[in-house]
Amino acid sequence: MTDDRIHDIPVNDIEIGDKNVRHDPLENDDLRQLADSIKLIGQLQPVMLRGNYGSPPYELIIGQRRFMAIKQILKKKEIKATFSGRISNTDALIKSLAENMCRVELSYKDAADAITELYKHFGRDDRKVVDATGFSLQRVRQYIYIEERASSTTKAKLRQEKVTRVDVHRALRAASDDVVKADKLLDLMGQYKLDGHEKKRAVDYGQSHPRASAEEIIKRAKEPIVERQFLVKLSDKARAALLKAAEKLSMAPDELAAQAVEEWLSSKGFVQ
């Protein structure tokens, strides 16, 4: 049973368990900024610990950045915390994943590992992962698709942030899941600096011509074409949301807007 009361807990009674999804090293500058903020105005939000108050050691499941800033930089002996009670490993993973995704963006590795583990736990039912985490179905499926189909070389590049999740997904689709071709396409996308529209054309051409080589797909994607354009007026709120989503997904705003409209039309049965 969750204990919502805030307690002052000795930091030495707290361990970072394997169900905290953030495993990549935290940037010192980021932690120092957080530590400066805590020093100035105090710890505004408690961390969440797994277990029951009075029965240490406790496992940290939410608030790793706050914990590290307070323990390592501010050298404080205690931290404000609430308790989750004796929850399952799956519930601990879900809480940590949801909280971290809403704060400093997780690395691809941490997010992919957590989503994949939940996917397996729920019997490979991606909609149950969506229900548990609140993430979009598209986002969950993209992580799972890449983890199941991408080569180890490409996944290593993702973990090193040398390529984006969106571009890996595009390359796999354009290659019709041919892993070798996908790796080649990913390299060529970077080499020829394809823009968002050209990458979309690469996906479209590759899927309609599964026997085309990676070089042929890129050549076709870069060919000039006549595109019909529509001018759409957006509210300030919608425009801000579009720009935020485009930055997060590493896509051009107009490319994302076109994709969103096409997906909506398709979902309503207007695109056959």
Side-chain angles (χ1 to χ4, degrees), residues 111-174:
D113 287 349
I115 289 174
T116 302
E117 182 173 339
L118 289 175
Y119 179 60
K120 292 177 180 177
H121 172 80
F122 289 125
R124 304 179 72 80
D125 187 334
D126 50 16
R127 292 186 181 275
K128 287 185 177 179
V129 179
V130 170
D131 292 340
T133 63
F135 302 151
S136 70
L137 183 60
Q138 180 183 17
R139 188 174 190 178
V140 168
R141 285 181 173 172
Q142 198 171 81
Y143 276 106
I144 294 168
Y145 182 79
I146 290 171
E147 285 301 298
E148 290 187 336
R149 292 171 172 81
S151 70
S152 57
T153 299
T154 288
K155 284 189 276 192
K157 289 180 180 179
L158 264 172
R159 284 159 168 73
Q160 296 163 10
E161 299 183 354
K162 293 181 177 179
V163 294
T164 68
R165 169 172 47 90
V166 175
D167 279 352
V168 172
H169 190 248
R170 286 166 169 155
L172 284 166
R173 291 171 59 212

